[in-house]
């Protein structure tokens, strides 16, 4: 075999039920390839990709109810969450803390460690959402940031964002919403989660998850320009004066891919996708319940159910890419590549291992 023949092929999505990423939209894939060598981190040298980034941020503003958005397309949710903590810390004095629900993504732990701030994790209510009283109990005068999650990684829950906004206002903290995964489905639901619904200061929304953009494509958005100012560093050898991003050289493919996906899909395409994904989640939840499994009622297109270890392992052996949560439950994310036919094949395989 030649080296090319033995090279691993990219993942086939036929049996991927555990991922929060998906196959990019064809237009996004094409745009990514053509902007592979452009560096949005150097806008004076690469003005075209810088223009696409500004347009992508405007489009993201439309998705999250913000008329005049400030932000950029970065490497993903981890970077955006870290930047939210960093902006809040830089705008406060002295030692500060961040209050987040226990369901917050592990990237906040990385952020706390890198930025040397205290992370206080609040208990959840009995539906896996942030308990507002528990958050209020942990918040104090040194709290720089209150975090709410709109679409939790484990159960797809939406925290009570307006109530968390009240807590943040009471202690003079910023409010950050982590909608890394949920941001492209929530506009089509009744949840209160965005800049128009609550005094949100910053938000994470990842085009490379439900947004059907290629990796790496993350979104960091702020209501006020002062937030980006708090992140800005002087850049002596570039023609542009300052840079609010964490990365220096950044992915032109990610920026152009995000722009192309948003341009092609917002809003009608994302709405159709949400409706398909939601119908699939309801279908799967019902079919699992009928088969006798304990299912956590889905709120967004993510289904969690109790599955014995032996059945889980047998399905993995059949090639199903499934994952378990901290509590052991099976978790199926109904991403755009997850079709009804695929779920039917999964249920048929489940029947044989039951
Ligand atoms: C995936 C995810 C993140 C992390 O995003 P990356 O792009 O993987 O860095 C943060 N928060 C939530 C809610 C997520 O689902």
């Amino acid at each position: 075999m030649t080296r090319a023949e033995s090279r691993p092929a990219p993942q086939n999505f036929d049996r991927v039920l555990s991922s929060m990423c998906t196959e990019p939209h064809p237009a996004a894939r094409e745009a990514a390839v053509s902007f592979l060598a452009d560096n949005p981190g150097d806008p004076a040298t690469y003005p075209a990709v810088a223009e696409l980034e500004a347009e992508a941020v405007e489009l993201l503003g439309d998705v999250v109810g913000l008329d005049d958005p400030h932000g950029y397309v970065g490497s993903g949710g981890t970077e955006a969450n870290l930047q939210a903590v960093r902006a809040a810390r830089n705008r406060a004095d002295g030692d500060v803390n961040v209050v987040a629900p226990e369901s917050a993504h592990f990237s906040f732990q990385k952020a706390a460690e890198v930025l040397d701030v205290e992370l206080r994790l609040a208990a959840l209510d009995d539906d896996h959402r942030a308990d507002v009283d528990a958050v209020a109990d942990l918040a104090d005068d040194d709290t720089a940031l209150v975090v709410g999650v709109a679409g939790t990684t484990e159960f797809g829950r939406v925290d009570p964002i307006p109530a968390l906004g009240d807590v943040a206002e009471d202690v003079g903290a910023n409010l950050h919403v982590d909608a890394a995964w949920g941001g492209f489905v929530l506009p089509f639901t009744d949840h209160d989660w965005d800049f128009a619904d609550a005094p949100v200061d910053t938000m994470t929304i990842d085009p490379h998850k439900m947004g059907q953009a290629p990796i790496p494509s993350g979104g960091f958005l702020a209501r006020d320009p002062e937030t980006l100012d708090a992140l800005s560093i002087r850049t002596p050898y570039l023609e542009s004066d300052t840079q609010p991003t964490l990365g220096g050289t950044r992915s032109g493919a990610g920026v152009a891919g995000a722009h192309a996906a948003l341009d092609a899909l917002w809003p009608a395409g994302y709405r159709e996708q949400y409706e398909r994904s939601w119908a699939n989640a309801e279908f799967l939840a019902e079919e699992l319940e009928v088969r006798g499994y304990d299912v956590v009622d889905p709120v967004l297109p993510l289904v969690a159910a109790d599955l014995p270890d032996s059945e889980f392992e047998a399905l993995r052996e059949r090639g199903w890419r499934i994952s378990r949560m901290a509590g052991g439950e099976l978790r199926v994310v109904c991403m755009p590549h997850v079709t009804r036919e695929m779920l039917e094949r999964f249920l048929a395989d489940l029947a044989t291992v039951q």
Side-chain angles (χ1 to χ4, degrees), residues 20 75-78 81 105 107 149 151 153 178 180-181 206 208-209:
M20 289 194 142
S75 62
T78 300
N81 286 341
H105 188 261
S107 48
V149 188
T153 315
D178 182 357
W181 175 72
D206 279 354
H208 70 202
K209 290 193 169 167

Side-chain angles (χ1 to χ4, degrees), residues 13 15-22 151-156 181-182 185 209-210 273 276-278 280-281 284 288 298 300-305 320-325 330-339 342-343 346:
F13 280 84
R15 288 177 180 233
V16 175
L17 296 178
S18 58
S19 183
M20 289 194 142
C21 294
T22 192
T152 57
T153 315
E154 288 212 306
F155 291 101
W181 175 72
V185 292
K209 290 193 169 167
M210 273 290 185
Q273 184 52 56
R276 262 197 303 273
S277 292
W278 177 243
N280 282 339
L284 180 63
L288 288 171
L300 294 179
L302 192 162
V303 180
W320 289 101
R321 300 284 190 267
I322 47 178
S323 66
R324 259 176 300 207
M325 306 201 264
L330 164 79
R331 166 177 165 279
V332 171
V333 194
C334 294
M335 295 300 291
H337 64 267
V338 175
T339 60
M342 189 171 157
L343 292 174
F346 176 73

